[in-house]
Amino acid sequence: MEKFIKLMDDSELKVGLVGNPNFKTIMLPVAKESVYGEESENLKLWGVDPELGKHFIEGLQDNFQVLYFDYEGHRLKHPTPENLTPENIVKDLLLIADEMNINKFSYYGYSWLALVGLQLAIRTNRLESLIMGGFPPIDGPYKEMMVVTKKTYEQAMNNQNAPFNNEQEHISPKKVDWDNIQIKIDINQTKQFVTMYNNLMKFDDREIQGHLTIPKLAFAGEKDTIVYGENFGSVTVDIVGILQKNKQELENKGWNVEILKGKSMDHTKAMQPKTVLSLIKPWLIQNS
């Protein structure tokens, strides 16, 4: 079943629900729409599965009811530059669950959608379990990401009227000159993430841990460390380093923590369905 649901900003998002209604439900806001042709080939260059959402859904629906939607893709098409706050995102997610008649559910998010899961967990008692991939539950790099998003926004502002070099779209990440790459993006798309991180500057992710009594899993690839050049504020976002440093503390607080091994297991590789499903599916079954 698929239907369009009107969110808090009155934009409409396509939401799907598949699987046996007698099964436990997992909310999957990472279920990106499949792409084909040239766009598909460009994603493959970056190590991204062009049918990421489809493969996640197919991989989980035999054991779970899957509530899926492409929240990131939707927000890029329908940005809310002043209103993408953690509170409003959570309202969107709970509205989706309500409209699909889902009361209790587990949640899996990756990268910024993982931090959204943490915000969801502290704002509702409807979560049955939480999985955060590619973003640590303690000492999250909120300040570093604020720097990166502000710099991205500034570049988007400066390059509004610059001609776009579409050759950038067709090269592999290994060949990108990250210090001189031209950021050509809708300013509203990137401003909304400035708004989101700005609203997290005073968030204490240690203080809230005692409220999380549900089963919870955090994971990252062992190469998930991103060093940003001067264009992006010269900051390092060391996802795996933070997770490793706090592994014992997290486990003491009831988290399962997994570091995905592999020389190529960076931020992008560690979010692909083949990698993620082999970890989260047995964990979800065990904790259902």
Side-chain angles (χ1 to χ4, degrees), residues 246-259:
N246 295 317
K247 187 173 187 289
Q248 188 61 59
E249 181 180 354
L250 282 163
E251 289 175 345
N252 290 342
K253 294 180 185 299
W255 286 85
N256 296 118
V257 179
E258 296 289 340
I259 308 298

Side-chain angles (χ1 to χ4, degrees), residues 8-22:
M8 299 297 296
D9 64 335
D10 286 337
S11 63
E12 291 193 335
L13 169 64
K14 186 169 77 173
V15 177
L17 185 66
V18 294
N20 189 323
N22 295 317

